[in-house]
Amino acid sequence: MDATALTSPASLCTFPDSLYVGVSTKMYMGYARSLEWLEQLVAEVDARPALAAGRVVPFVIPSFPVLPAAAALVAGSPLVLGAQNCGWADGPWTGEVAPSMLAELGVGLVEIGHAERRRHFAEDDAVVALKVGAAVGSGITPLLCVGEAEACAPEAAAEFVFHQIKAAVSGDWAMAARLVIAYEPVWAIGAPEPASAQYVSMVVGALRDALAQHGLSGLPVIYGGSAKPGLLPQLSGVSGLFLGRFAHDAANFGRVLDEAMAQPTGC
Ligand SMILES: O=C(CO)COP(=O)(O)O
């Protein structure tokens, strides 16, 4: 293993209008399959040298045990390594993984509050806030996952996710400025199709209006939930995509990278 990959987190150096294209493997892949797929993902990124300029930030979030080998695989590529979860402190928390260890492994961002964690592991706003604080304290960017349970009026969805964000930072808007938001309507995760582009754009637009009142109009807000190639060019005001199943074919990740690179700046 390349030891240099393990010395510091690959921090998210971004532009004000950065676009993010990332993927989590959740628990879909075994160890060997994860590494094989990661090599394909790195090849997709390497085939696009323009990514080195940094406006489009690709990231990949494999399972915990894959992280050390993944850090070596992505070393030297613009792919930022992420983790799917973290604990909120070092010490007597059997079975958890501390953000400080993730930072040692070269992790640059960590998912917090994914719908599956909230639903199956009873993670509430208080736990999410502890994790956000711990991740920031370890120099890792929280990828805060928010989303309404049922499709509703876009304004109501935006209000719901705004309150999820506020709770995740305990009302500390300076802390919120350290986040990347993954807007993932719960009802669109694991579905055959994503939420409609119009719905997503309206929710994110209304969310941006609410965030702007706290000086956060430029906070990155990406969309996840059955996202696939063809969606990003239809969205307005959205800072990228968080892919799941539809990037198990690494070529689809490459297609979405191309779509992101073709986006005009300031979108
Ligand atoms: O939850 C997601 C990403 O974290 C989305 O997953 P799917 O794209 O498989 O619905």
Side-chain angles (χ1 to χ4, degrees):
M1 185 185 303
D2 175 4
T4 58
L6 302 181
T7 51
S8 65
S11 61
L12 287 181
C13 297
T14 57
F15 296 87
D17 61 349
S18 287
L19 291 170
Y20 300 79
V21 175
V23 49
S24 158
T25 59
K26 306 195 181 189
M27 212 172 74
Y28 280 111
M29 297 182 193
Y31 186 79
R33 168 70 185 131
S34 294
L35 293 186
E36 179 191 39
W37 170 84
L38 256 166
E39 281 179 16
Q40 294 164 0
L41 215 64
V42 171
E44 293 291 336
V45 170
D46 285 350
R48 294 165 174 83
L51 286 169
R55 190 175 83 90
V56 175
V57 180
F59 65 85
V60 60
I61 310 187
S63 296
F64 281 137
V66 177
L67 289 173
L73 275 174
V74 305
S77 110
L79 256 177
V80 175
L81 188 59
Q84 296 181 16
N85 184 25
C86 67
W88 58 78
D90 301 346
W93 303 96
T94 301
E96 294 293 298
V97 179
S100 56
M101 180 185 279
L102 295 176
E104 271 188 78
L105 288 171
V107 165
L109 86 171
V110 60
E111 282 184 81
I112 297 176
H114 190 278
E116 289 149 15
R117 303 278 335 156
R118 294 181 194 257
R119 177 171 173 206
H120 301 299
F121 302 94
E123 291 194 3
D124 59 13
D125 286 342
V127 167
V128 167
L130 285 169
K131 292 183 175 191
V132 165
V136 168
S138 292
I140 301 178
T141 299
L143 178 62
L144 177 67
C145 302
V146 292
E148 75 286 2
E150 308 284 345
C152 56
E155 297 74 20
E159 190 177 343
F160 181 80
V161 300
F162 174 78
H163 284 290
Q164 283 185 314
I165 296 167
K166 185 177 177 186
V169 294
S170 307
D172 177 349
W173 296 111
M175 172 88 83
R178 312 280 295 271
L179 307 178
V180 173
I181 306 297
Y183 167 54
E184 302 200 291
V186 178
W187 52 273
I189 295 173
E193 294 294 331
S196 78
Q198 187 191 19
Y199 183 88
V200 173
S201 301
M202 288 177 74
V203 174
V204 174
L207 176 62
R208 285 201 187 286
D209 288 346
L211 291 169
Q213 293 176 25
H214 301 279
L216 293 169
S217 55
L219 199 66
V221 181
I222 68 177
Y223 170 79
S226 308
K228 55 174 86 169
L231 177 63
L232 188 59
Q234 299 179 54
L235 298 176
S236 141
V238 180
S239 322
L241 291 185
F242 188 15
L243 294 136
R245 290 157 297 140
F246 293 109
H248 291 180
D249 175 355
N252 277 344
F253 192 77
R255 290 185 188 104
V256 178
L257 288 176
D258 288 337
E259 291 171 357
M261 289 191 290
Q263 292 279 305
T265 54
C267 59

